[in-house]
Amino acid sequence: NCTDSIGWQDYYGRDCDYYEINDFCGSAVWYPDADGTSANEACCFCGGGTSLAGDGGSVDNGNSTNDGETPRPTEGPTSCFSNVQVSKGCYRVGEPVEVTFTNCNPRAGDWVGLYDAESPSQFLMDPLLWHWSCGSQFCSGSPIQGGSTLDGSAEGQAFWPLNRGNYKVYLIRNGANFPYQSVAGSGEFRVAQRICPD
C-alpha cells in the first residue's frame, strides 16, 4: 500500500492525480514543487509516496522488539558531507572523465557539470559537459551516492573530446536561475594532449 504526499503540488499546481491520469511521471523531474520535490518522490504512481504495511500501519523499521515492550534505541544522526571526486588528476584528450559523488540532500533534477577550472564556483553558468546525477541524459531521480561518466554522450557547451586544459566538476542543485548553485566541487584536474604524469 502507498499514500501520496498530502497536499503536494508541482510548481504549476498539478497534483499526483494529474501525473497519474496523464502518465506524466517521465517529465516530473522538470516540474518540482518550491522545495525541489518532484512527483517521482511525492506520488505513488511515479514511484514515490509513503509505503504502508498491509494492515494500514507503517512498515516496521526494525526498532521495535518482538515482545511489544520497549523499543530499541535508534542510532544517533550521522554526519554527511556532500562531495564530488574525479577518478584521477590527469586524463588524456578523449579519455572519459569518471566522476563519483555524495549528495546529502538530493533533489529531483540535480546534475553533475564540468567547468573550466577558472570558473568561479559562486558564479556557475552553462557547463562544458553535464549529466543528470543519476548518470546520463535519459534517467530520473537523484541518488545520495552515485557516479557519472562525462564523455561524448554528455550535453553541454563543449565539443567532445575536451581540449587540453584544467577543469573542475561540480554537483549542481537543480534550478533554472543563473548562476547555478553548487552543492560540492571536485579538485582541479588536467586534460593533457599525450602524457599524464604517473
Side-chain angles (χ1 to χ4, degrees):
N1 292 339
C2 180
T3 184
D4 294 330
S5 295
I6 297 171
W8 180 86
Q9 292 183 336
D10 70 12
Y11 179 78
Y12 293 100
R14 298 176 293 211
D15 62 10
C16 291
D17 289 339
Y18 175 90
Y19 278 80
E20 183 173 357
I21 291 167
N22 294 287
D23 197 16
F24 200 57
C25 299
S27 298
V29 69
W30 295 103
Y31 305 103
D33 67 5
D35 295 324
T37 302
S38 76
N40 294 336
E41 299 161 296
C43 305
C44 296
F45 182 77
C46 296
T50 304
S51 295
L52 300 175
D55 62 1
S58 309
V59 173
D60 182 1
N61 63 9
N63 291 328
S64 59
T65 60
N66 290 335
D67 59 11
E69 294 179 9
T70 308
R72 293 188 295 259
T74 59
E75 293 183 22
T78 58
S79 297
C80 181
F81 300 98
S82 294
N83 66 73
V84 177
Q85 298 176 350
V86 293
S87 61
K88 51 190 182 178
C90 183
Y91 296 86
R92 291 184 318 277
V93 170
E95 186 178 7
V97 177
E98 299 291 335
V99 180
T100 58
F101 65 85
T102 299
N103 186 358
C104 297
N105 186 20
R107 301 227 179 121
D110 289 349
W111 49 278
V112 175
L114 183 140
Y115 288 85
D116 183 281
E118 300 300 317
S119 298
S121 62
Q122 67 277 13
F123 197 71
L124 296 172
M125 301 304 269
D126 289 330
L128 297 172
L129 297 173
W130 72 277
H131 272 167
W132 296 113
S133 62
C134 52
S136 77
Q137 297 300 105
F138 307 103
C139 58
S140 62
S142 190
I144 292 175
Q145 292 185 322
S148 184
T149 301
L150 296 172
D151 57 14
S153 70
E155 298 286 329
Q157 301 296 310
F159 293 104
W160 186 259
L162 287 171
N163 291 324
R164 294 182 329 193
N166 295 330
Y167 300 93
K168 289 184 178 180
V169 173
Y170 292 93
L171 177 61
I172 305 291
R173 178 70 65 221
N174 183 29
N177 300 326
F178 292 112
Y180 293 119
Q181 177 188 354
S182 168
V183 174
S186 73
E188 188 172 320
F189 64 95
R190 184 165 56 114
V191 172
Q193 185 63 37
R194 290 194 178 99
I195 300 173
C196 285
D198 291 334

